[in-house]
Amino acid sequence: MLQQNWVTVCCLFVLMGFVGCSGGRSENPDWPERIPVSGVVTYQGDPVEGAEVTFTNTAASSTGAGKTDSGGRFYLTTYVERDGVVPGQQAVAIRCVEVIDNTPEGTDLSAGGVAATPEVKWLVPKIYSNSSKSGLSADVSEAGTNEFTFDLK
């Protein structure tokens, strides 16, 4: 009897694991409707890898974000992975930087060494990082593909 109870308890833990590992994709009834959004970012015709893309719907006080892959492709997330954004007019920001560590090699920071100020190298013009100055926008609608291409200059 003890062995049968042990097997039952183990099976329950396994089932709870499957339910608990569903990726946290459960919907909260208080969340607004979101529309899947994807797209591509290029700079001077070349795909931009590692860019942070942000869509902000100011009317709904809601923001979704995503990061570009090696082909410049992004998918936006508001609450759960790739759930998209609240539909409507979006102010768009795209930020892509490389942070360069200027600390001399061999500096032991744990022994009181001081790190040098890192250098920030903008891989796309800084203007695009501010949605109110970027000049970029998108209209996300319930009908349509909601696939956007941003060819930055």
Side-chain angles (χ1 to χ4, degrees):
M1 181 72 166
L2 182 59
Q3 186 176 10
Q4 184 179 12
N5 286 342
W6 173 249
V7 170
T8 302
V9 169
C10 286
C11 287
L12 285 174
F13 277 116
V14 169
L15 285 173
M16 287 171 39
F18 284 125
V19 172
C21 293
S22 63
R25 294 206 50 103
S26 61
E27 285 289 317
N28 180 324
D30 296 330
W31 291 345
E33 172 192 18
R34 280 111 40 231
I35 304 295
V37 172
S38 60
V40 174
V41 175
T42 60
Y43 176 55
Q44 297 178 339
D46 294 323
V48 178
E49 181 177 6
E52 300 163 3
V53 180
T54 306
F55 277 39
T56 301
N57 181 324
T58 54
S61 298
S62 181
T63 298
K67 197 164 198 163
T68 58
D69 62 17
S70 62
R73 176 158 287 288
F74 66 88
Y75 299 90
L76 297 181
T77 298
T78 297
Y79 296 108
V80 295
E81 189 174 351
R82 294 186 179 193
D83 65 341
V85 297
V86 174
Q89 190 62 37
Q90 311 286 324
V92 177
I94 300 173
R95 178 180 184 268
C96 191
V97 298
E98 177 184 358
V99 178
I100 301 165
D101 183 3
N102 289 321
T103 303
E105 192 173 324
T107 302
D108 188 354
L109 300 177
S110 66
V114 178
T117 303
E119 177 185 343
V120 176
K121 178 181 177 185
W122 289 90
L123 302 178
V124 298
K126 185 177 180 180
I127 188 87
Y128 294 115
S129 68
N130 183 331
S131 63
S132 64
K133 296 178 182 177
S134 71
L136 304 174
S137 64
D139 187 15
V140 175
S141 65
E142 294 180 30
T145 61
N146 294 303
E147 168 85 20
F148 300 94
T149 299
F150 298 100
D151 185 18
L152 310 179
K153 305 292 181 203

